Amino acid sequence: MINPINGGRADAVSLRGIEGKRSGGAQAAAAMNTISARIAETMARELKLTPVDPRGGYAGGSASDAYGIEEIAAELSRSLGGSPADQGRLSRALHQFAETVATLVAARPLSSTVSNVVSSLGVDLNGGKPTTEEALTMIEAATVRLRPDGYS
């Protein structure tokens, strides 16, 4: 028998709370935590592993972007002063991260697994001017660390 997942609803982290105050890596970590929470919440809800939360949760994006990754990539790119090309690169990296997280959560539904990896990357919260390259490096490093084979 599968027991319900205990704990509260997975709350998304807004990038607005750290915009302009922290490094690109910290902003990328906030984006990855938001995506991870949305994936875990969606899987738990769809598999009926959690009781229905009357407060709701992330309702989902479009059929082709169930976790709102495009919106997150656009917000992250804007906060980093990125170009449309940067937004595309961030989107691609975040989609790869989400795919890896979804696989991991489906195989091992422990929310701490993902958050521990993201938090262990040694984000410099007081870095200089946040950059897209810094954010991409953070996202790609987290994706590689989450994969069981360690390869991208």
Side-chain angles (χ1 to χ4, degrees):
M1 174 179 192
I2 298 175
N3 294 324
I5 294 175
N6 294 326
R9 171 178 152 241
D11 291 319
V13 177
S14 171
L15 299 177
R16 289 182 187 97
I18 62 170
E19 184 177 320
K21 297 180 184 174
R22 304 200 184 216
S23 68
Q27 292 182 38
M32 290 184 289
N33 283 330
T34 297
I35 292 167
S36 299
R38 288 177 180 180
I39 290 169
E41 182 178 0
T42 300
M43 285 193 179
R45 183 180 62 245
E46 293 297 320
L47 295 172
K48 297 180 182 12
L49 298 174
T50 57
V52 175
D53 188 342
R55 297 176 293 176
Y58 181 70
S62 66
S64 63
D65 188 17
Y67 307 116
I69 295 169
E70 295 302 322
E71 177 185 354
I72 292 170
E75 187 176 349
L76 181 57
S77 181
R78 249 189 328 275
S79 75
L80 296 170
S83 67
D86 290 333
Q87 181 178 334
R89 292 169 54 213
L90 288 166
S91 173
R92 185 172 52 254
L94 288 171
H95 275 285
Q96 289 175 343
F97 173 78
E99 181 181 308
T100 301
V101 169
T103 302
L104 182 63
V105 171
R108 184 192 244 197
L110 299 172
S111 60
S112 62
T113 303
V114 176
S115 62
N116 286 343
V117 169
V118 173
S119 66
S120 73
L121 290 173
V123 179
D124 178 11
L125 299 178
N126 301 312
K129 182 178 183 281
T131 66
T132 300
E133 291 305 318
E134 184 182 12
L136 282 167
T137 299
M138 176 75 169
I139 295 164
E140 290 165 356
T143 302
V144 169
R145 283 193 181 182
L146 284 171
R147 290 190 173 148
D149 59 7
Y151 298 102
S152 55

